[in-house]
Amino acid sequence: PPPSPPFPLLQIHPPSSSSPLPACFLPAPTTPAARSRELPPPPPRPRRALARAPRDPKLDTVEKIVEDFASDMALNPFSSGTRLRDMIRAIRACKTAAEERAVVRRECAAIRAAISGDGQDLRHRNMAKLMFIHMLGYPTHFGQMECLKLIAAAGYPEKRIGYLGLMLLLDERQEVLMLVTNSLKQDLNHSNQFIVGLALCALGNICSAEMARDLAPEVERLMRSRDANTKKKAALCSVRIVRKVPDLAENFMGLAASLLKEKHHGVLISAVQLCTELCKASKDALEYLRKNCIEGLVRILRDVSNSSYAPEYDVAGISDPFLHIRVLKLMRMLGQGDADCSDYMNDILAQVATKTESNKNAGNAILYECVETIMGIEATSGLRVLAINILGRFLSNRDNNIRYVALNILMRAITVDAQAVQRHRVTILECVKDADASIRKRALDLVYLLVNDTNVKPLTKELVDYLQVADPDFKEDLTAKICSIAEKFSQEKLWYLDQMFKVLSLAGNHVKDDVWHALIVVISNASELQGYSVRSLYTALQAYSEQGSLLRVAVWCIGEYGEMLVNNVGMLEAEGPITVTESDAVDAVELGLNRYSPDVTTRSMCLVALLKLSSRFPSMSERIKQIVSQNKENMVLELQQRSIEFGSIIQRHQSIRSSLLERMPVLDEAAYLVKRASATQATIPAYKPAAVTPGGLKLPNGVAKPAAAPLVDLLDLSSDDAPVTSAASATTAPSDFLQDLLGIGGTNLSTAGAPSSASTDILMDLLSMGSSPSQNGLPSPGLSSPALGKSNSNRNNDLIFCFCSHY
Amino acid sequence: WILFQVHCHLIFLFFSASSQINFVLLISRQGKVRLTKWYSPYTQKERTKVIRELSGLILTRGPKLCNFVEWRGYKVVYRRYASLYFCMCIDADDNELEVLEIIHHFVEILDRYFGSVCELDLIFNFHKAYYVLDEILISGELQESSKKNVARLIAAQDSLVEAAKEEAGSISNIIAQATK
C-alpha cells in the first residue's frame, strides 16, 4: 500500500467549491513556556518512520520489522511482544493480504496468550493493538472480556483504554454489555470526575434500553453536579436514555429546564439538545418546556448573538454558531403550532435573520436554520418575507453547498407556500442540469413536486430536451421522472404519446418495462391515434434503433398496424404523408431482428411481428418466411421454436392464418392500471400441465404477472368453446402466468363477462386473448376465433396442443 | 388557516429535527479506514457494507461538487482534508452546513492536539484521535463548542495517564535494580 504522505491536514485547503474555510486556528504557540501552558507535549512521532524517507517502502519490509523487534527484545528483556507502533508499521509494510493476515494472526496469538496468562503489564498496549486489528476488519471477540477487566481495574489509564475498547469492540446488541452495568454504576459514583466522564461517555454512546433504565437515576444525579464537564456529559447521556426509554422523559424535564440557566456553553448546548429530545419523546415534556423555557431560550440566543468577540467560541467572526443553531432548532419545535410562542420569538428571529453575516459557512448554517425555523412556526408575514429573501440569495449563490441547501428549503416550502416556489421554477430547472449530481437529484425531485396542469407541458419539454445531453447515470432517474409525469398528466393522449415517443428515442434503454407496457395499452385503446403512432415510431426507428424499448414498441406497432403504416391511414392534421412500402416495413422489422435486438424478448417480438405482417401483407409472405426460418437452428429454444412454428403457419396453414392474426382486441386500460398498481411479486411459477376442456383450449384472460417474462405475444391462440359473446374474461387472475401464456389449463373462462380482470402485464394480455372485445363490441374478437374452435380439425388442435405443451 | 396548521403538524411529524449524527467515518484516498465511530446500531457485517458503499460513492466525487451525498435515505456530509475524507452521516432533515462546521471543529482540535496533524498521526495514534472525538460528540450530539475546553480536558486526562505511567515505571525500575 502506498505510504500516506505526511501532509498536514489543515495547511492544504481542499480544492472544494465550498465557501472559504473559516480561518485556521491560530498556529500553536512556539515558545516552550507558552506550549507547556496550553498543550500537552505532542505525542512523539514514530521515530523510525521519520528516519526513513517516507516514500521508500522497501526498507520497511516485514523482515526488517522482525529484525527490529528481535533486537528490541535483546535490549529490553522485560518487554514482551511488539510495541503498538511497530505492529502498525509491520501491517502497513505488508504487500499482500496474506502477509497481513499472517502478521495479524501472530499478534492475535500473542495477545490471546497475554490475556489468558493474566499478565498485568502491557494490557494497555494489547488493548490498543486489538482495537487496531478490529479496525482492519478482523474478528476480535476474544478481547471483549479483557475490556471488562480493564474497566473494572482501579487506575485511570486502564479504565480509559478499557472504555474505548468497549465502545469500539462491542455494540449495544451484545449480551456482554450487560456485564458492564455494575462497573458503570461504580464509576458513575467515582470521586474522580474524569472517571465519571468516561462512564458517562460510554453509557451515552452504546447503552441498551435495560442499561438505560438501570442507570438513569445515577445520570440524573450527575446532572446536578457542580462540574460543568460532568453536567454536559450527563445531559447528553440522558439524550440517549430518553431515546431508548421515552417513558423516562418526564424525569428529566425539570433538570433540563434548569440547566438552561447555566452560562457554560458546553452545558447549554447539551441542555438544549436534551430539551429537543424530550420534546420529541413526550407531549407533556413539550408542553412543560414551552411554558417554562421560551423566555430563557430567547435570552440565550440574544446574548450569544450580541456577544462581543470571544476567541474561545469564535468561528469565522461569529460567536458559537453551534449554540445559535441548536437553540433555533429547539425554538422551531416549541413554536410549531403555538401562536403565542411564535410571537415571542419574532424579534430575535428577525434579528438573527438580518444580522448574521453570510459570507462564510458558519453564518450560512445559522441562516439556514433560521429560515427553517421561520417556516416551521406560526410566523408573521414580515418574518416570512425575510425567509424568502434569504432563500432567494441562497439560490443564486455560486457555492454548490448553498444551492443544495436552498433546494432543500424549497422542498419544505412547497407545503407552506407553493406559489413562492413556483416562482423559482426557472432556477430549479437550471439546477436539474447542474454539473453536480447531488444538486441534479434534489432539483429533479423538486421539479416533480412542482408539476401541475398548467406548467406540465413546458416543464416536460425542458426535461426531455435535457434528456438528450444528460449523463448516462442520471438518465435513469430523469427518464423515470419524465415517464411518471407524462402518465400522471396524460389527459391529452396525443401529447402523452409524443412525449413517450421522444423519451423512447432518447433513452429507450432506460425505460422500465411497465412504462412501455402502459404505452402499448394506451395505443391499443386510442384507435384514432394508431396510425399516427405507428408512423411516428417507424420514423423514430430509422434514427434510434439501438434504443431497446423503442424497438420493442415500434416493432409491436408495425406488426399490429402495418397496413396503417403503409397506407397512411388515420392521418392527423399536422402530419405529413410518408411513403412506406410493405417491403420497407418488413425491412424495419428484419433489421430489428437481426441487427438491433438486445435480447431474446425483442427478437421474439420481432418474429411475431413478422408473422403478423405475413398476414397483413400477403405479398411479402414468402420473404417473411425466409427471414423467419433463418432462426430454425437458433440455440435459444424460444426463438427456434417460434421460427419453426411460425414458418409452419405461413407455409401450411394459410386457412387459419388470417384469423389467427387479426387485430388484437383492445387491451382493457382501466383494469390494467388497477392490476399494475397492485402487482408486486416477480416470480414465475412453475408450469402446470394442461387441462384440456371439452371443445378446445380455453384461455383465461387475467394474468397474474409481470414483465420478467420474455415470452410475449404468442399467437394469440385461443379458442372458446362457447360462442363469442360469452367469451368473458376470468374474474380472477390465475397465478400461473405460463399457463396463461399458452392458454393451457388454469381457470376456465367465466361467462360473467366482466372485463375487470384484464392483465397486469400487458404482455400477458397480448397473449391471453379472448375477453373484453366481446363487451366492446368489436367486430371480431381476433383470436378467440370461433373459427378455430369450430374448424377444430384435429390436426390444428394437435398443432396448438403440441406447440403449447412444449412449455 | 386550519389546513395550514394541519400542514404544519404534518411537517412536524415528518421533519422533526433529530440532529443526530449516525456515524463518523474517516477514510483515506485509497479507501483505507482510519477511524469509525457508530452512534446507531450497525452489526459488523453492516458496517463493512456501509464503508464499502460510501467509499465508492464519496471517493469518486470530483473536487468542485457540493459536500453532500444522498445515500439510502440519509445524507452524508464529507470534506476532504489533504489525504483524508471526514464523513458524517445525518438524517435527511438535519442541517448539513452545521455538520460541515462540526467536521472542521474536529479537525482544528486534532490539529491543535497533534500539532499540525497529518494522516500518519491518526494512523499511529488512532486511540488518541478517538479520545478527542469522545470529547466532542456523545451519542452523535455536540458536546463542546469551545476548542480550548476540549484541549484542556484532553490535556488533563493525558497527564493523569502520564503520572500513572511514571509511577509504574519507577516501581519497575526499583524492582529491576533489586533483582539485578
Side-chain angles (χ1 to χ4, degrees):
Chain A
S4 345
F7 293 130
L9 297 187
L10 274 184
Q11 273 185 22
I12 302 176
H13 287 301
S16 72
S17 72
S18 49
S19 56
L21 298 174
C24 259
F25 168 76
L26 299 169
T30 42
T31 65
R35 264 202 127 126
S36 62
R37 241 185 291 128
E38 286 228 57
L39 307 166
R45 286 172 193 256
R47 268 168 273 124
R48 286 210 178 84
L50 280 184
R52 293 191 175 74
R55 285 181 180 278
D56 195 356
K58 281 200 297 270
L59 296 174
D60 238 6
T61 58
V62 176
E63 290 86 347
K64 196 74 175 58
I65 306 292
V66 169
E67 249 184 64
D68 279 344
F69 65 72
S71 59
D72 249 355
M73 294 280 280
L75 286 174
N76 188 355
F78 285 118
S79 88
S80 50
T82 55
R83 283 170 295 185
L84 171 66
R85 62 176 180 261
D86 290 329
M87 181 192 84
I88 296 180
R89 278 171 55 224
I91 290 176
R92 281 164 60 74
C94 292
K95 292 197 185 40
T96 66
E99 270 182 46
E100 184 183 284
R101 274 199 298 275
V103 175
V104 168
R105 232 195 325 267
R106 192 186 65 222
E107 292 289 345
C108 283
I111 295 172
R112 256 191 256 249
I115 289 178
S116 51
D118 198 36
Q120 285 301 317
D121 45 330
L122 306 171
R123 285 159 80 189
H124 181 289
R125 172 199 292 181
N126 284 336
M127 181 51 56
K129 283 193 202 170
L130 210 54
M131 289 194 283
F132 189 84
I133 291 173
H134 177 85
M135 275 206 320
L136 291 175
Y138 295 93
T140 48
H141 310 296
F142 58 91
Q144 288 178 1
M145 290 309 291
E146 181 71 0
C147 286
L148 303 194
K149 283 195 245 164
L150 280 167
I151 290 172
Y156 177 77
E158 285 76 20
K159 285 189 192 285
R160 198 188 200 197
I161 197 87
Y163 276 116
L164 185 61
L166 185 78
M167 288 190 282
L168 217 61
L169 302 181
L170 276 78
D171 63 71
E172 68 184 73
R173 286 188 276 211
Q174 292 174 324
E175 289 77 28
V176 183
L177 204 52
M178 289 303 294
L179 301 174
V180 195
T181 312
N182 208 29
S183 297
L184 276 171
K185 194 168 198 165
Q186 290 185 341
D187 284 342
L188 286 173
N189 285 304
H190 208 279
S191 51
N192 182 333
Q193 59 144 319
F194 293 112
I195 293 185
V196 175
L198 287 177
L200 283 171
C201 179
L203 196 60
N205 282 334
I206 63 168
C207 80
S208 60
E210 295 85 34
M211 291 167 74
R213 233 182 252 282
D214 279 343
L215 298 170
E218 309 295 330
V219 179
E220 274 177 66
R221 183 182 54 79
L222 288 168
M223 275 174 69
R224 297 191 197 93
S225 153
R226 275 176 316 157
D227 174 46
N229 182 32
T230 306
K231 269 193 282 218
K232 75 186 188 197
K233 288 188 158 75
L236 286 183
C237 191
S238 315
V239 168
R240 188 176 175 97
I241 291 178
V242 168
R243 265 190 207 139
K244 291 283 165 192
V245 191
D247 300 337
L248 294 175
E250 271 102 44
N251 300 16
F252 292 97
M253 265 171 12
L255 277 172
S258 64
L259 279 182
L260 287 178
K261 302 193 180 75
E262 299 273 332
K263 292 280 170 255
H264 187 282
H265 282 220
V267 177
L268 277 178
I269 288 182
S270 309
V272 167
Q273 281 165 161
L274 178 56
C275 292
T276 312
E277 198 62 40
L278 289 174
C279 289
K280 283 191 326 205
S282 146
K283 282 234 71 190
D284 291 337
L286 174 60
E287 284 308 317
Y288 176 86
L289 291 169
R290 202 177 252 162
K291 230 178 358 185
N292 294 304
C293 299
I294 199 66
E295 288 180 34
L297 279 176
V298 170
R299 193 174 43 242
I300 293 173
L301 190 52
R302 203 172 40 227
D303 288 345
V304 76
S305 180
N306 292 336
S307 68
S308 49
Y309 176 73
E312 188 171 349
Y313 296 110
D314 185 87
V315 179
I318 301 178
S319 193
D320 207 340
F322 303 112
L323 185 57
H324 276 86
I325 292 170
R326 303 280 150 154
V327 170
L328 283 167
K329 226 175 240 192
L330 180 55
M331 282 176 153
R332 179 151 84 251
M333 295 192 83
L334 296 180
Q336 217 147 38
D338 187 309
D340 289 330
C341 228
S342 308
D343 207 36
Y344 195 83
M345 302 174 198
N346 192 72
D347 291 344
I348 187 59
L349 287 175
Q351 177 182 319
V352 171
T354 41
K355 222 191 89 171
T356 310
E357 300 261 335
S358 68
N359 53 354
K360 292 281 167 74
N361 187 58
N364 285 324
I366 295 178
L367 287 172
Y368 179 27
E369 199 68 43
C370 196
V371 168
E372 293 278 349
T373 299
I374 291 174
M375 284 185 352
I377 62 174
E378 322 299 314
T380 61
S381 56
L383 263 187
R384 280 194 209 285
V385 169
L386 275 178
I388 299 289
N389 284 349
I390 295 175
L391 176 58
R393 283 201 331 255
F394 275 15
L395 259 183
S396 47
N397 195 309
R398 273 184 4 211
D399 184 336
N400 281 339
N401 288 343
I402 305 296
R403 278 188 307 137
Y404 179 91
V405 152
L407 291 173
N408 274 351
I409 300 178
L410 282 172
M411 281 194 91
R412 303 242 211 293
I414 279 191
T415 33
V416 172
D417 186 354
Q419 285 295 58
V421 182
Q422 289 283 355
R423 273 194 286 268
H424 295 285
R425 209 170 59 228
V426 175
T427 323
I428 296 172
L429 272 171
E430 284 307 310
C431 288
V432 174
K433 308 174 193 167
D434 197 274
D436 186 329
S438 298
I439 290 184
R440 283 201 298 261
K441 223 156 162 231
R442 273 283 99 172
L444 190 58
D445 289 339
L446 199 45
V447 164
Y448 187 70
L449 290 176
L450 278 180
V451 172
N452 59 31
D453 287 317
T454 36
N455 62 24
V456 63
K457 287 203 183 156
L459 265 180
T460 315
K461 178 171 184 320
E462 288 267 351
L463 291 178
V464 171
D465 287 343
Y466 179 55
L467 191 56
Q468 267 177 308
V469 297
D471 269 354
D473 26 320
F474 190 50
K475 267 195 170 135
E476 184 100 28
D477 278 340
L478 191 51
T479 310
K481 282 284 184 328
I482 297 176
C483 294
S484 192
I485 292 175
E487 279 184 57
K488 228 167 89 172
F489 292 91
S490 59
Q491 277 83 9
E492 283 183 39
K493 288 235 161 95
L494 179 56
W495 176 82
Y496 165 71
L497 289 176
D498 273 335
Q499 303 311 308
M500 293 309 296
F501 295 160
K502 277 203 206 110
V503 170
L504 282 175
S505 308
L506 294 172
N509 286 328
H510 298 280
V511 172
K512 298 257 179 359
D513 284 343
D514 58 341
V515 169
W516 64 265
H517 294 175
L519 175 60
I520 290 189
V521 172
V522 170
I523 294 179
S524 156
N525 276 286
S527 48
E528 72 283 8
L529 294 173
Q530 280 159 359
Y532 172 72
S533 300
V534 67
R535 282 187 293 274
S536 310
L537 287 167
Y538 174 84
T539 318
L541 202 55
Q542 306 307 305
Y544 297 103
S545 320
E546 340 67 70
Q547 300 292 343
S549 300
L550 173 67
L551 183 55
R552 284 185 215 126
V553 176
V555 147
W556 188 88
C557 286
I558 294 176
E560 265 303 292
Y561 311 119
E563 75 286 4
M564 292 194 191
L565 172 65
V566 169
N567 300 324
N568 278 318
V569 170
M571 295 265 301
L572 299 182
E573 272 177 33
E575 263 194 280
I578 60 175
T579 330
V580 182
T581 65
E582 290 179 356
S583 178
D584 291 334
V586 174
D587 281 344
V589 182
E590 182 187 6
L591 216 54
L593 172 68
N594 291 331
R595 194 177 322 163
Y596 292 119
S597 283
D599 55 21
V600 176
T601 309
T602 320
R603 285 224 175 83
S604 314
M605 289 178 82
C606 292
L607 285 173
V608 176
L610 284 171
L611 185 63
K612 290 182 189 169
L613 288 179
S614 79
S615 163
R616 313 236 192 291
F617 308 152
S619 60
M620 301 261 85
S621 252
E622 200 46 46
R623 178 176 163 207
I624 288 177
K625 184 170 81 110
Q626 279 189 357
I627 299 172
V628 163
S629 50
Q630 280 165 12
N631 282 287
K632 271 201 182 134
E633 289 163 6
N634 195 307
M635 295 309 288
V636 177
L637 179 61
E638 175 67 26
L639 300 176
Q640 188 187 117
Q641 181 147 14
R642 289 187 188 217
S643 164
I644 295 174
E645 288 164 355
F646 293 0
S648 175
I649 290 179
I650 297 176
Q651 173 125 18
R652 285 181 279 148
H653 297 281
Q654 283 91 350
S655 52
I656 62 168
R657 186 174 65 177
S658 55
S659 37
L660 263 183
L661 300 167
E662 278 175 12
R663 179 88 73 240
M664 291 193 54
V666 173
L667 306 164
D668 191 324
E669 197 167 8
Y672 170 78
L673 290 173
V674 165
K675 276 288 169 60
R676 180 185 170 195
S678 60
T680 40
Q681 69 280 54
T683 51
I684 300 183
Y687 162 67
K688 298 199 187 81
V692 181
T693 55
L697 298 169
K698 286 225 198 6
L699 255 187
N701 191 29
V703 187
K705 233 273 310 159
L711 304 179
V712 260
D713 193 12
L714 268 190
L715 290 185
D716 303 324
L717 288 178
S718 85
S719 68
D720 290 330
D721 48 343
V724 172
T725 45
S726 66
S729 46
T731 45
T732 52
S735 57
D736 191 317
F737 113 92
L738 276 180
Q739 280 181 352
D740 299 333
L741 196 65
L742 307 168
I744 300 176
T747 63
N748 291 334
L749 289 176
S750 77
T751 50
S756 56
S757 64
S759 49
T760 55
D761 190 297
I762 187 180
L763 297 180
M764 296 305 90
D765 241 353
L766 303 188
L767 297 174
S768 57
M769 290 334 300
S771 61
S772 24
S774 48
Q775 291 92 27
N776 293 352
L778 284 186
S780 49
L783 319 169
S784 54
S785 58
L788 186 57
K790 283 206 197 92
S791 76
N792 224 352
S793 59
N794 283 340
R795 224 164 37 106
N796 285 342
N797 265 2
D798 285 345
L799 164 72
I800 296 163
F801 191 65
C802 289
F803 173 67
C804 296
S805 68
H806 280 297
Y807 300 93
Chain B
W1 175 244
I2 293 175
L3 212 61
F4 178 66
Q5 284 193 313
V6 168
H7 264 148
C8 283
H9 286 296
L10 285 175
I11 301 171
F12 175 61
L13 289 170
F14 225 35
F15 291 130
S16 37
S18 73
S19 73
Q20 187 207 10
I21 294 170
N22 294 313
F23 56 83
V24 176
L25 197 58
L26 261 66
I27 38 182
S28 75
R29 295 264 298 142
Q30 289 84 31
K32 291 266 169 78
V33 174
R34 298 304 178 204
L35 187 149
T36 63
K37 188 86 183 181
W38 306 84
Y39 297 107
S40 295
Y42 286 85
T43 62
Q44 288 303 329
K45 261 215 192 111
E46 287 165 354
R47 293 179 190 190
T48 329
K49 191 151 181 275
V50 165
I51 293 172
R52 198 174 41 237
E53 279 179 26
L54 280 181
S55 304
L57 208 52
I58 292 179
L59 295 175
T60 49
R61 270 174 80 76
K64 297 227 183 296
L65 306 181
C66 72
N67 295 89
F68 319 121
V69 286
E70 284 167 46
W71 168 79
R72 291 199 199 172
Y74 295 104
K75 281 198 281 231
V76 179
V77 180
Y78 71 96
R79 177 167 264 180
R80 182 181 157 204
Y81 290 85
S83 55
L84 270 185
Y85 285 81
F86 284 70
C87 316
M88 293 194 178
C89 172
I90 53 176
D91 289 337
D93 43 302
D94 285 340
N95 185 333
E96 304 93 325
L97 299 181
E98 187 205 12
V99 177
L100 268 181
E101 288 301 325
I102 294 180
I103 291 178
H104 195 68
H105 186 58
F106 180 33
V107 173
E108 287 196 331
I109 294 175
L110 284 175
D111 190 65
R112 170 182 236 179
Y113 179 64
F114 285 103
S116 200
V117 66
C118 65
E119 192 182 341
L120 274 179
D121 289 319
L122 300 183
I123 295 172
F124 285 92
N125 295 293
F126 64 95
H127 49 305
K128 306 200 189 201
Y130 276 107
Y131 294 147
V132 170
L133 184 59
D134 283 338
E135 289 297 331
I136 298 176
L137 295 175
I138 285 185
S139 187
E141 308 275 7
L142 187 66
Q143 192 188 150
E144 179 60 70
S145 54
S146 156
K147 299 188 233 294
K148 200 162 92 170
N149 278 344
V150 175
R152 220 187 270 141
L153 287 168
I154 302 269
Q157 293 174 78
D158 279 348
S159 50
L160 272 186
V161 174
E162 284 304 311
K165 229 190 260 180
E166 272 174 25
E167 204 181 299
S170 63
I171 292 177
S172 57
N173 275 344
I174 294 172
I175 297 176
Q177 295 289 352
T179 55
K180 243 198 194 145

